Amino acid sequence: MKTIKKIGIAIIIIIIGGAYAYGTWPRPIYNTDIGSLSYEKTDFLTTDSTMEQKFVCGNNGFSGFAIKMLKQDGQNIGNYRWTVEEVKTGKTIGKGTISEADTETRLFESSNPQKQGMVNVNFPKQQNSKGKEYRLTLQAEEMEDTESVAVYITEKNSTESELKVNENAMTDKASVVKLNYKRFNVETFIVFLGIAVYLWAFIKFMYKLFR
């Protein structure tokens, strides 16, 4: 009976750990050792301005991105068309528009400098994205200059990437973009199981010590 009980508890722990480890995991394409207060930014992207960011995915399950933007004080923003395409095939895997509604979120208005100004975008999960190069293009539609936004940039990390603003290459820079991967995170699962086993052993030890 005790063996069956232990097996049941182990199965429950594994199920909980599996559910916890599967989710959306962000990975930055920029150097996270640089503090947010040291970020630079592009010029404000006015009508017909474009920003292109190339990057290589480090995992499978690419399903969206978060980009850090700056609005002008007290102004609404115009519409910005975005597309994500696979560079090798030219296939568009996601497209849409970033508008004022996307900046009226708790994340964008967060008091946390790291989270403030972030706009999240989702598209269908790409099963075999690891090692593939993609291009994110952000293009301003017709708007007043006061409706424009800037994109935060900083040093790029070791991930292969290339940034252009209005066709001007920005060497050694990357936009402050996090790639979202929807996947099972093995590392998180192992850590969860390790903590569960440690707590079980600790409780068992304390029970024997004080009974």
Side-chain angles (χ1 to χ4, degrees):
M1 192 67 182
K2 286 185 177 180
T3 301
I4 295 175
K5 185 178 180 180
K6 288 180 180 178
I7 292 174
I9 293 173
I11 291 173
I12 291 172
I13 291 173
I14 290 172
I15 291 173
I16 293 173
Y20 178 72
Y22 183 83
T24 300
W25 303 94
R27 294 291 181 268
I29 66 170
Y30 58 93
N31 186 350
T32 55
D33 291 334
I34 306 297
S36 59
L37 296 179
S38 298
Y39 290 166
E40 302 170 55
K41 58 182 182 293
T42 65
D43 293 334
F44 282 95
L45 303 175
T46 54
T47 300
D48 293 331
S49 293
T50 59
M51 185 206 79
E52 291 185 4
Q53 176 70 71
K54 286 184 181 179
F55 53 86
V56 175
C57 282
N59 295 102
N60 292 322
F62 181 35
S63 61
F65 64 89
I67 184 169
K68 189 175 179 69
M69 309 176 84
L70 175 67
K71 294 169 62 174
Q72 299 192 45
D73 290 340
Q75 300 293 329
N76 292 339
I77 72 167
N79 291 336
Y80 287 84
R81 287 184 286 113
W82 64 267
T83 59
V84 177
E85 62 179 347
E86 187 180 336
V87 173
K88 185 176 181 179
T89 63
K91 177 185 176 182
T92 297
I93 63 169
K95 62 181 179 179
T97 302
I98 293 175
S99 63
E100 177 62 23
D102 297 297
T103 70
E104 296 172 345
T105 64
R106 184 169 58 183
L107 188 62
F108 193 93
E109 297 172 354
S110 172
S111 59
N112 185 328
Q114 288 284 356
K115 297 179 178 180
Q116 192 177 70
M118 297 299 287
V119 172
N120 269 303
V121 168
N122 299 307
F123 46 77
K125 175 182 173 181
Q126 306 301 301
Q127 294 285 359
N128 300 307
S129 56
K130 186 174 182 179
K132 291 183 179 179
E133 185 178 32
Y134 294 89
R135 179 190 294 109
L136 164 63
T137 302
L138 188 68
Q139 182 164 14
E141 296 185 343
E142 187 173 350
M143 64 181 68
E144 299 293 332
D145 288 351
T146 55
E147 297 176 318
S148 59
V149 299
V151 175
Y152 282 96
I153 59 175
T154 187
E155 294 180 11
K156 61 183 180 182
N157 64 12
S158 56
T159 304
E160 297 176 51
S161 64
E162 179 184 328
L163 175 64
K164 288 183 180 180
V165 178
N166 294 325
E167 297 300 323
N168 296 316
M170 305 190 74
T171 309
D172 298 327
K173 299 293 182 184
S175 52
V176 179
V177 166
K178 292 183 179 180
L179 309 179
N180 292 329
Y181 298 100
K182 189 172 288 186
R183 66 187 183 92
F184 181 78
N185 193 319
V186 177
E187 296 88 348
T188 299
F189 181 66
I190 292 173
V191 170
F192 179 89
L193 291 185
I195 293 173
V197 169
Y198 172 81
L199 290 175
W200 174 81
F202 178 75
I203 291 171
K204 189 175 181 180
F205 171 77
M206 295 300 290
Y207 174 76
K208 288 183 176 181
L209 186 65
F210 292 103
R211 84 176 165 175

